[in-house]
Amino acid sequence: MPSLLHAVGRHAEAYADSFGIAQTPIPGLTTVRATGPSGLVYAIPRPLVCLVLQGSKHVTMGDQSFAFSAGDSLLISADVPTVSQITRASVAAPYFSLVLELDPALLVALSAEMGEPCVGDHAPVRVEPTDTEVADAALRLMRLLDRPASVPVLQAQLVREMHYWLLAGRHGTAIRRLGWPDGHAQRIARAVAVLRAEFARPLRVEQLSAVAGMSPSSFHQHFRSVTSLSPLQFQKQLRLIEARRLMLSDGLSAANAAFAVGYESVPQFTREYSRMFGTSPARDVKSARSAAETAA
């Protein structure tokens, strides 16, 4: 994939922010660049596929670990908590990847056209070699960026094509469940959208189960099956991850960040933060800023 590497590298070099992230004019399509191994990154990403083009990365979900490098694709087919780390990158050979957020509505439409899915592994996180057709579609998407006037005209059909090849390729059986109309993954996704938008306020399981169209007991069971967490644990992790971002990116104090994400008790916030990140908020922020200064 040398041509795709060149296209992604050129865009990332020109537009990456201080975190190495470069958005593109195509919604959901992002390039990533790093010139050295990273620290641990905690996140609950939306369903996505990540094509690694140079360097390597390590991702952990629960007790499962995934190592992948150039030529591999990481699929995350559900909103699950992950801990990731770029493990091989340098100034001479930076880490480059291309990330596409999956569009559930597009997957529903394509799945209906493609027929019944094959039985297979529906694990929410998996790594496979990148399919040639996926890489080709990704390259044509990146080439659109050189002709800005073509983006609004052609992006939709190329994004659709890339979703099609993902469904038809090695990741297809895992992605297909996102395209099952009114399936459990779709129903849980509706509740997750509410949690993401309103995580800072109290939310009862009965409210979320109603959004999903399930009984509270069925909702709780399927929520854990899809995300690996209970709804309360999911909300807590969203709050803590956002609080960490507010402290690192916006300079908020631990107390202000705690209140901003919905905590009423700073000691409780500190305890739960330390349990998740392995250190207190103050020490974590100091360590992360020191690492960023060293890298710079």
Side-chain angles (χ1 to χ4, degrees):
M1 298 182 285
S3 297
L4 182 56
L5 170 61
H6 176 72
V8 168
R10 197 153 49 87
H11 184 268
E13 295 280 0
Y15 299 105
D17 61 17
S18 58
F19 297 100
I21 309 297
Q23 304 292 339
T24 75
I26 299 170
L29 188 70
T30 306
T31 65
V32 181
R33 172 182 181 268
T35 56
S38 72
L40 298 178
V41 177
Y42 296 79
I44 302 180
R46 291 176 170 81
L48 59 79
V49 64
C50 172
L51 281 60
V52 178
L53 305 168
Q54 186 164 279
S56 60
K57 195 169 187 177
H58 185 270
V59 170
T60 300
M61 183 203 76
D63 58 359
Q64 293 182 287
S65 293
F66 305 85
F68 53 108
S69 55
D72 291 331
S73 292
L74 168 76
L75 170 73
I76 299 179
S77 62
D79 299 69
V80 293
T82 61
V83 183
S84 62
Q85 182 175 32
I86 293 169
T87 52
R88 188 170 75 249
S90 67
V91 174
Y95 168 89
F96 286 118
S97 66
L98 180 68
V99 177
L100 176 68
E101 288 190 7
L102 299 176
D103 182 339
L106 196 49
L107 292 172
V108 168
L110 285 167
S111 295
E113 291 182 44
M114 295 170 71
E116 289 297 316
C118 299
V119 176
D121 179 14
H122 302 306
V125 179
R126 55 187 293 156
V127 173
E128 296 282 359
T130 301
D131 291 299
T132 301
E133 296 84 357
V134 172
D136 288 344
L139 176 58
R140 278 179 278 122
L141 269 175
M142 291 301 300
R143 283 177 172 165
L144 284 187
L145 305 184
D146 294 328
R147 297 188 175 186
S150 71
V151 173
V153 179
L154 298 176
Q155 67 173 17
Q157 66 195 61
L158 286 176
V159 169
R160 185 178 191 276
E161 182 187 345
M162 190 165 171
H163 278 70
Y164 170 81
W165 289 120
L166 285 165
L167 282 166
R170 293 181 174 94
H171 287 305
T173 54
I175 298 175
R176 281 289 185 100
R177 70 174 187 167
L178 291 172
W180 294 348
D182 211 34
H184 292 143
Q186 286 263 336
R187 292 185 178 200
I188 296 302
R190 295 200 293 265
V192 166
V194 172
L195 274 166
R196 283 188 178 277
E198 304 182 35
F199 64 84
R201 72 179 186 87
L203 291 169
R204 295 184 299 113
V205 170
E206 290 77 10
Q207 294 173 267
L208 296 170
S209 62
V211 170
M214 298 179 177
S215 69
S217 60
S218 177
F219 170 73
H220 198 282
Q221 174 189 346
H222 288 297
F223 192 97
R224 183 179 286 278
S225 173
V226 170
T227 69
S228 78
L229 297 173
S230 71
L232 180 61
Q233 290 170 329
F234 191 95
Q235 183 181 33
K236 183 186 297 184
Q237 291 208 10
L238 281 174
R239 286 179 169 182
L240 293 171
I241 289 168
E242 174 62 9
R244 189 172 192 262
R245 187 195 69 78
L246 290 171
M247 289 187 291
L248 289 172
S249 300
D250 297 355
L252 266 63
S253 68
N256 287 338
F259 295 136
V261 300
Y263 277 88
E264 297 179 355
S265 164
V266 175
Q268 180 188 359
F269 166 74
T270 301
R271 285 195 303 272
E272 293 183 353
Y273 189 102
S274 300
R275 194 174 300 128
M276 179 169 174
F277 297 111
T279 187
S280 69
R283 288 178 179 173
D284 186 34
V285 170
K286 182 178 180 180
S287 175
R289 287 178 178 163
S290 176
E293 290 171 4
T294 300

